[in-house]
Amino acid sequence: GHTGQIFDLIVSADGKYLASACEDATIRIWNITKAGNYEIHTLIDDNKVNTVAYSLDNRLFATGGHSQKIKIWDENQGTLLKTLSGHQGVVEGLAWSPDAKLLVSTSRDGTAIVWDVESGTQRLVFDKHKKAIWDVAVSTDGSLTATGGSDGIVYIWDMQTGTVLNTLKADNGDVYAISISPDKKWLAVGYQNRNIIIWNISTGNPQYTLSEQITDSVQNVRFSHNGNILASVGDDGNLFLWDMKSN
């Protein structure tokens, strides 16, 4: 297994594989459909790996971290297909478009880059943030992108043009985690200051705040596939499941 702190975990869309990203500069792919230790690939990177993301068709996954590069891998063979260079800081977030043609990366350099995966070129650079961008989310139809980071601001923008559609501000410290509901109605944002705000995407207004029992920074939030459940984890070591149907 890994020999250092694991920074990210992601399960493939078909539920068969789990990818783990580690400070030991490796990415390990596990078959989770069988009992026991079924590691099928160990991939070596240049430096600590912070983030990993599977494409929805399970063909590809992307990794990024302290090398400041994004690497595209073949899921079945575990082979490196492409390396994308453009960031001037550690890569912190990755999110695919639904058709796996585009990939969004975010970095401590304060930029988000939309990549054309086939050509390996930059489609656009989003530079509204002035500090590190910790997380990124793409809507299920690929039309919206949301980014947030150290400036405490979330920008919702058009993935094709980079046009800002809404700007969400709250006095809650860094934005560490973002998730867009499947119906594009809600945006869940996890903050440094121990709470989660559910924003209305169309109006840009906060709908309600989830903070009960959260005692430390929120590090990750994810909507379920039907949008009925929101999962959150944080530095307090707790995992919460929130019933979104009752809110």
Side-chain angles (χ1 to χ4, degrees):
H2 289 293
T3 58
Q5 183 179 356
I6 295 173
F7 292 138
D8 200 12
L9 293 170
I10 189 74
V11 176
S12 60
D14 59 10
K16 294 180 179 179
Y17 303 104
L18 181 144
S20 53
C22 184
E23 69 174 346
D24 65 7
T26 67
I27 308 99
R28 296 177 187 266
I29 310 299
W30 312 80
N31 185 333
I32 56 176
T33 63
K34 301 177 182 179
N37 183 353
Y38 278 86
E39 180 183 337
I40 58 174
H41 297 302
T42 300
L43 312 176
I44 309 298
D45 208 326
D46 304 323
N47 209 322
K48 298 176 184 178
V49 185
N50 283 17
T51 181
V52 58
Y54 267 107
S55 62
L56 289 180
D57 59 9
N58 303 305
R59 293 186 304 107
L60 307 171
F61 65 94
T63 60
H66 286 248
S67 70
Q68 304 181 12
K69 301 173 183 177
I70 299 98
K71 295 186 176 181
I72 309 297
W73 308 81
D74 179 276
E75 194 277 335
N76 291 319
Q77 302 299 320
T79 52
L80 179 63
L81 301 176
K82 198 161 295 184
T83 299
L84 309 177
S85 299
H87 285 296
Q88 302 302 312
V90 175
V91 177
E92 292 288 350
L94 294 168
W96 290 90
S97 65
D99 59 8
K101 292 182 179 180
L102 301 177
L103 177 73
V104 188
S105 61
T106 65
S107 171
R108 294 183 193 178
D109 66 9
T111 67
I113 299 176
V114 179
W115 301 90
D116 183 300
V117 176
E118 179 67 26
S119 66
T121 58
Q122 298 179 19
R123 177 73 66 87
L124 64 87
V125 178
F126 185 83
D127 60 0
K128 297 295 184 182
H129 293 278
K130 302 308 177 186
K131 296 182 179 180
I133 307 176
W134 298 126
D135 202 14
V136 56
V138 173
S139 61
T140 54
D141 64 357
S143 63
L144 301 180
T145 304
T147 50
S150 290
D151 56 10
I153 299 172
V154 176
Y155 290 105
I156 300 173
W157 43 283
D158 186 296
M159 192 173 183
Q160 299 295 327
T161 66
T163 302
V164 175
L165 305 175
N166 239 321
T167 303
L168 314 179
K169 297 181 181 180
D171 188 19
N172 278 319
D174 286 24
V175 172
Y176 286 146
I178 297 173
S179 186
I180 301 173
S181 65
D183 60 5
K184 296 195 304 181
K185 186 176 182 180
W186 308 114
L187 183 74
V189 182
Y191 290 92
Q192 178 183 16
N193 290 354
R194 304 183 299 279
N195 60 35
I196 301 164
I197 296 180
I198 307 299
W199 297 83
N200 185 308
I201 289 178
S202 61
T203 66
N205 295 323
Q207 190 73 12
Y208 43 86
T209 299
L210 308 174
S211 59
E212 184 180 357
Q213 300 180 349
I214 299 176
T215 60
D216 211 333
S217 301
V218 179
Q219 292 292 334
N220 208 337
V221 291
R222 286 293 182 273
F223 280 101
S224 61
H225 289 302
N226 59 14
N228 292 336
I229 300 292
L230 179 74
S232 69
V233 294
D235 286 339
D236 58 9
N238 294 318
L239 183 151
F240 294 101
L241 298 177
W242 308 90
D243 183 359
M244 303 306 293
K245 293 182 295 183
S246 62
N247 291 299

